């Protein structure tokens, strides 16, 4: 038997080349213990967690970010889409040129992800609330010293004294938007690399029968990220953004959480994991069943079937290093894929699925907070957590289902179509699971919501001289009525008892009963029940609605349907194209999903949500900020109907793919 040709030692030597674990060229023997697929999988899993944190965390912080900087939902949707814009710039290039040292590419991209996270946290430090901002006005008028009450002797001109409307008095939303958008842009530059190169790297280094398991672990890591993000959002949503303790509760529309802390944690974690990932080689060593003998020249000595010794270089028992691809190959490869109608239909289905998932996740926390009036920290646990777990359970069950039953491509297509149809059914069904809309006096009973003098209302009869468009709601606990401000309720003063702020002599709310608190203030027999039926408290009145658990259950089922066909869909995508196009296919799919699915979804959904607003933040100069109150029914219908319709169309594309692969079989 002829001796196998040796490969150049300078390229493939475990101590000098790219096939050894090394730290900036230093490759100690103990570090080679980690030259293993399992060690790579652990690091890739951790990187997927940090990358996936933003999926749930950003959505959980949308209400706070909007109110903190006076942003509309469409503006936040545009910021969210910036990561997809940068992903479009990097996806195809990474897929085409990143086929050499894939772990190093993944490490560099993770460094960008960490920098992007830190940039997203930066606006809280760079742009503190300025004295003329809407937020500063809310904070000032919510304090005991500055809160405006019903006062016929108030000088209305003093409300805007010294205020010069113009560029100087606006909230300066351009700066925070720019930094947030830049952070998302940098995040997107790095976020695409790990899934594009990681999956082919696993596929090249794992046994075929174990591929579904490793693919599932990779996707579970990506879905475990939102789980960690949910935990972070639950913790930081319970903290007010300036670390103080305001009079109102976390369920109040004015609550702004410490949204920036989670981005800082994720940024530091991503940078640390990027350093660790950079130590892996370009291909993982395949361990032999028996330890071979090694001579002084770095050659292994083994015996062939005839009993003769055969010397082979150590690199022969390693995974094949991917070929370097040149620029001139790209048009040829794109032309090959453009003629693959099955792949094109598969990409269309991925675009629709990405649109539905991105659009819903971007604003689901905002919807639950506005619709069910639940604190954001509670929503993170009771609302988001079941959905994240549903996605993870779906991915895990789907991979085991494919592996156990050894599904053919045709049957995988049927599974994809069935999940799309069931998901669409869930989204359409929740359009009827709403709650009664909050009726706010001073908003819903006037001709113009931002002008309380436009109708003959109680505050006008009592000559309260309330400030228009001022939002500092109070609740008449006895009647369950919410007023847009203490002034609109006709309150003349406030007092504190056991840390709770009460409003007194509210003639528009409870009339003479309001004086009861003053009469009974010093008595010892006054109970909480007595006070609760006779006083006005800060904040919107609590909402009683039993549909929240049902909504969460149905949306969790919809997320299971999103995740269940994942592993099978990846296997199908890799088998409907030529083997040398796997990385490029992953990149093109990611490019298409970003450009036509993830990018427009939050912008379009944000615009629809903004159209449902019925009371905007507005300062004394008329500058509009975030939305305080939405039309609950309109918000619910628009938000879920469009996502359901997209999932229904997705079902049709999955059926088309199923028909096209009816004669295809997986290679062994």
């Amino acid at each position: 038997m002829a001796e196998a040709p040796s490969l150049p030692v300078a390229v493939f030597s475990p101590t000098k080349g790219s096939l050894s674990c090394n730290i900036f060229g230093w490759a100690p023997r103990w570090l080679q213990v980690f030259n293993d697929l399992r060690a790579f999988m652990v690091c890739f899993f951790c990187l997927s967690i940090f990358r996936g944190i933003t999926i749930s965390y950003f959505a959980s912080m949308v209400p706070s970010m909007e109110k903190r900087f006076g942003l509309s939902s469409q503006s936040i949707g545009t910021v969210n889409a910036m990561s997809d814009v940068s992903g479009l710039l990097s996806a195809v290039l990474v897929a085409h040129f990143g086929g050499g040292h894939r772990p190093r590419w993944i490490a560099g991209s993770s460094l960008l992800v960490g920098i992007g996270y830190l940039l997203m946290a930066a606006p809280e430090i760079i742009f503190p609330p300025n004295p003329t901002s809407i937020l500063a006005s809310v904070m000032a008028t919510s304090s005991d010293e500055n809160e405006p009450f019903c006062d016929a002797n108030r000088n209305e001109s003093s409300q805007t004294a010294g205020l010069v409307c113009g560029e100087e008095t606006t909230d300066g939303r351009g700066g925070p938007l720019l930094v947030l958008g830049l952070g998302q842009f940098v995040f997107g530059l790095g976020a695409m690399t790990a899934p594009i190169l990681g999956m082919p790297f696993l596929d090249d280094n794992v046994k075929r029968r174990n591929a579904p398991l490793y693919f599932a672990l990779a996707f579970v890591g990506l879905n475990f990220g939102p789980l960690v993000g949910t935990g972070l959002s639950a913790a930081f949503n319970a903290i007010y953004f300036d670390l103080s303790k305001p009079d109102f509760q976390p369920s109040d529309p004015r609550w702004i959480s410490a949204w920036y802390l989670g981005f800082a944690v994720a940024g530091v974690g991503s940078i640390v994991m990027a350093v660790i990932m950079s130590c892996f080689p370009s291909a993982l060593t395949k361990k032999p069943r028996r330890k071979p003998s090694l001579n002084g020249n770095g050659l292994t000595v083994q015996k062939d079937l005839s009993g003769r010794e055969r010397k082979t270089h150590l690199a022969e028992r390693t995974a094949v290093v991917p070929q370097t691809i040149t620029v001139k190959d790209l048009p040829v490869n794109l032309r090959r894929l453009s003629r693959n109608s099955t792949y094109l239909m598969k990409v269309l289905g991925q675009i629709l699925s990405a649109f539905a998932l991105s659009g819903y996740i971007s604003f689901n926390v905002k919807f639950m907070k506005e619709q069910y009036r639940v604190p954001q920290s509670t929503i993170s646990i009771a609302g988001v957590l079941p959905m994240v777990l549903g996605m993870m359970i779906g991915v895990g069950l789907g991979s085991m289902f494919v592996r156990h039953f050894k599904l053919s491509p045709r049957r995988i297509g049927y599974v994809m179509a069935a999940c799309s149809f069931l998901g669409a059914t869930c989204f359409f069904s929740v359009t009827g699971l709403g709650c009664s809309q909050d009726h706010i006096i001073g908003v819903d009973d006037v001709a113009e919501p931002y002008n309380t003098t436009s109708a003959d209302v109680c505050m006008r009869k009592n000559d309260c001289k309330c400030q228009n468009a001022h939002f500092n709601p109070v609740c008449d606990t006895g009647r369950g009525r919410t007023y847009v401000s203490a002034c609109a309720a006709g309150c003349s003063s406030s007092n504190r008892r056991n840390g709770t702020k009460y409003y007194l002599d509210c003639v528009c709310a409870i009339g003479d009963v309001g004086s009861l608190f003053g009469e009974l203030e010093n008595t010892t027999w006054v109970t909480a029940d007595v006070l609760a039926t006779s006083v006005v408290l800060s904040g919107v009145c609590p909402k009683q609605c039993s549909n929240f658990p049902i909504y969460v259950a149905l949306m969790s089922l919809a997320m299971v349907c999103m995740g269940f066909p994942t592993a099978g869909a990846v296997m199908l995508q890799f088998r409907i194209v030529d083997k040398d196009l796997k990385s490029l296919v992953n990149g093109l799919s990611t490019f298409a999903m970003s450009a036509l699915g993830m990018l427009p979804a939050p912008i379009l959904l944000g615009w629809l949500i903004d159209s449902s607003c019925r009371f905007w933040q507005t300062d004394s100069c008329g500058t509009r900020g975030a939305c305080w109150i939405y039309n609950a029914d309109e918000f619910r219908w628009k938000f879920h109907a469009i996502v359901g319709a997209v999932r229904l169309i997705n079902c049709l594309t999955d059926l088309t793919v199923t028909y096209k692969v009816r004669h295809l079989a997986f290679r062994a």
Side-chain angles (χ1 to χ4, degrees):
M1 180 178 293
E3 185 175 298
S6 298
L7 297 173
V9 177
V11 178
F12 295 97
S13 171
T15 58
K16 297 181 180 180
S18 62
L19 298 179
S20 60
C21 290
N22 64 91
I23 304 174
F24 300 107
W26 178 54
R29 185 181 299 273
W30 61 265
L31 191 60
Q32 307 315 310
V33 175
F34 302 100
N35 193 349
D36 182 78
L37 183 61
R38 289 169 295 184
F40 176 85
M41 194 67 231
V42 170
C43 293
F44 190 71
F45 187 87
C46 293
L47 281 176
S48 298
I49 289 176
F50 284 114
R51 175 178 172 267
I53 282 176
T54 188
I55 296 175
S56 62
Y57 188 81
F58 189 94
S60 296
M61 296 302 171
V62 163
S64 294
M65 294 167 69
E66 288 181 358
K67 293 178 173 65
R68 168 65 177 85
F69 300 109
L71 304 175
S72 65
S73 294
Q74 188 173 14
S75 297
I76 285 291
T78 303
V79 167
N80 197 13
M82 290 303 296
S83 61
D84 300 302
V85 173
S86 57
L88 297 178
L89 302 177
S90 65
V92 175
L93 294 178
V94 167
H96 193 67
F97 298 108
H101 202 305
R102 288 166 175 162
R104 292 278 172 84
W105 278 82
I106 295 173
S109 69
S110 299
L111 180 62
L112 290 176
V113 167
I115 295 173
Y117 274 132
L118 295 180
L119 283 173
M120 282 186 271
E124 184 61 42
I125 300 175
I126 301 175
F127 304 101
N130 62 70
T132 60
S133 68
I134 297 172
L135 176 60
S137 175
V138 171
M139 296 172 65
T141 56
S142 297
S143 65
D144 295 339
E145 297 80 10
N146 300 316
E147 185 170 11
F149 294 105
C150 180
D151 184 5
N153 298 319
R154 180 186 293 113
N155 184 1
E156 295 180 349
S157 62
S158 64
Q159 298 179 19
T160 57
L163 183 63
V164 180
C165 296
E167 295 182 1
E168 299 84 3
T169 62
T170 62
D171 286 322
R173 291 184 292 274
L177 269 177
L178 179 62
V179 176
L180 287 171
L182 178 62
Q184 282 286 77
F185 187 87
V186 174
F187 173 88
L189 285 177
M192 297 296 184
T193 304
I196 291 175
L197 300 182
M199 292 302 179
F201 186 82
L202 290 174
D203 196 54
D204 287 342
N205 290 274
V206 70
K207 294 180 180 179
R208 189 67 58 205
R209 62 186 179 87
N210 292 329
L213 177 61
Y214 277 89
F215 288 155
L217 286 174
F219 280 105
V220 166
L222 183 59
N223 285 280
F224 196 74
L227 190 65
V228 176
T230 298
L232 291 176
S233 62
F236 298 140
N237 269 323
I239 304 173
Y240 198 56
F241 83 99
D242 62 354
L243 308 183
S244 65
K245 294 184 178 180
D247 291 324
F248 42 86
Q249 299 298 315
S251 59
D252 193 277
R254 293 166 293 172
W255 183 269
I256 302 174
S257 60
W259 59 274
Y260 50 92
L261 295 179
F263 290 125
V265 171
V268 173
S270 297
I271 292 174
V272 170
M273 291 308 304
V275 175
I276 298 175
M277 177 61 74
S278 65
C279 300
F280 281 95
S282 61
L284 299 176
T285 301
K286 293 181 179 178
K287 304 235 178 339
R289 293 185 179 181
R290 290 186 298 179
K291 185 177 180 180
S293 59
L294 185 68
N295 67 10
N297 297 322
L299 302 177
T300 62
V301 181
Q302 296 177 326
K303 291 185 178 181
D304 58 22
L305 294 178
S306 63
R308 292 179 298 178
E309 289 186 350
R310 182 172 66 91
K311 297 178 180 180
T312 59
H313 212 275
L314 182 61
E316 289 186 53
R317 56 186 180 86
T318 61
V320 178
V321 179
Q323 270 188 313
T324 302
I325 304 175
T326 61
V327 177
K328 65 180 181 180
D329 297 322
L330 181 58
V332 177
N333 292 338
L334 290 176
R335 192 178 307 113
R336 290 165 61 189
L337 289 176
S338 66
R339 296 171 180 173
N340 189 333
S341 60
T342 305
Y343 170 70
L344 295 179
M345 186 57 63
K346 178 72 168 55
V347 169
L348 177 58
Q350 289 176 306
I351 291 171
L352 295 171
S353 181
F355 184 98
L357 184 62
S358 176
Y360 179 73
I361 288 180
S362 296
F363 299 106
N364 64 336
V365 174
K366 180 182 179 70
F367 167 78
M368 287 184 280
K369 184 179 187 299
E370 298 295 336
Q371 184 77 197
Y372 302 107
R373 199 66 66 198
V374 180
Q376 289 174 222
S377 56
T378 303
I379 291 175
S380 298
I381 299 298
V384 177
L385 183 59
M387 298 182 194
V388 173
L389 289 175
M391 177 70 79
M392 293 178 60
I393 291 171
V395 172
L397 290 178
S399 63
M400 290 188 292
F401 187 80
V402 172
R403 187 182 185 193
H404 179 74
F405 291 101
K406 297 179 175 59
L407 298 185
S408 64
R410 178 173 60 88
R411 294 186 182 277
I412 288 178
Y414 283 135
V415 170
M416 292 165 52
C419 288
S420 297
F421 180 79
L422 184 57
T425 303
C426 291
F427 279 105
F428 283 123
S429 63
V430 298
T431 56
L433 294 177
C435 293
S436 58
Q437 182 169 291
D438 295 317
H439 181 79
I440 300 179
I441 298 173
V443 175
D444 298 311
D445 62 335
V446 296
E448 300 177 24
Y450 312 103
N451 184 5
T452 53
T453 61
S454 64
D456 191 19
V457 293
C458 176
M459 70 189 84
R460 185 180 179 187
K461 291 179 181 179
N462 288 275
D463 196 22
C464 290
K465 294 184 179 178
C466 299
Q467 183 179 354
N468 290 332
H470 174 63
F471 188 78
N472 191 28
V474 296
C475 173
D476 174 3
T477 58
R479 302 180 185 180
R481 294 180 179 178
T482 300
Y483 292 79
V484 71
S485 66
C487 182
C491 302
S492 59
S493 62
S494 64
N495 204 337
R496 290 182 180 273
R497 183 182 180 87
N498 298 327
T500 302
K501 188 174 184 179
Y502 297 89
Y503 293 90
L504 309 178
D505 301 317
C506 302
V507 294
C508 293
I510 52 179
D512 294 335
V513 183
S515 62
L516 180 64
F517 178 84
E519 297 173 3
L520 303 180
E521 184 178 9
N522 297 319
T523 61
T524 58
W525 56 269
V526 177
T527 64
D529 292 336
V530 173
L531 290 176
T533 60
S534 59
V535 297
V536 175
L537 303 178
S538 177
V540 178
C541 291
K543 179 182 291 187
Q544 300 297 327
C545 182
S546 60
N547 288 332
F548 180 63
I550 304 174
Y551 174 84
V552 172
L554 285 173
M555 288 296 94
S556 299
L557 178 60
M559 294 299 104
V560 171
C561 295
M562 285 272 192
F564 193 85
T566 300
V570 172
M571 290 182 63
L572 181 61
Q573 176 168 284
F574 285 161
R575 299 306 178 267
I576 60 179
V577 298
D578 295 330
K579 187 175 181 179
D580 62 313
L581 298 179
K582 286 192 294 186
S583 291
L584 181 60
V585 161
N586 232 10
L588 286 177
S589 298
T590 305
F591 180 92
M593 290 165 63
S594 297
L596 304 176
M598 296 179 181
L599 195 158
I603 299 176
L604 176 59
L605 267 296
W607 173 76
L608 287 174
I609 291 170
D610 285 340
S611 67
S612 304
C613 182
R614 73 182 203 267
F615 194 81
W616 291 92
Q617 278 182 345
T618 309
D619 64 12
S620 300
C621 294
T623 303
R624 197 177 80 172
C627 181
W628 285 126
I629 300 293
Y630 289 89
N631 183 309
D633 294 333
E634 191 175 345
F635 190 168
R636 185 177 65 255
W637 272 93
K638 289 180 178 179
F639 185 50
H640 294 94
I642 187 171
V643 178
V646 170
R647 288 293 283 162
L648 196 59
I649 300 173
N650 194 179
C651 176
L652 299 178
T653 61
D654 290 338
L655 289 174
T656 304
V657 171
T658 303
Y659 175 78
K660 287 181 173 294
V661 300
R662 63 190 184 280
H663 301 306
L664 183 66
F666 287 126
R667 296 186 295 269

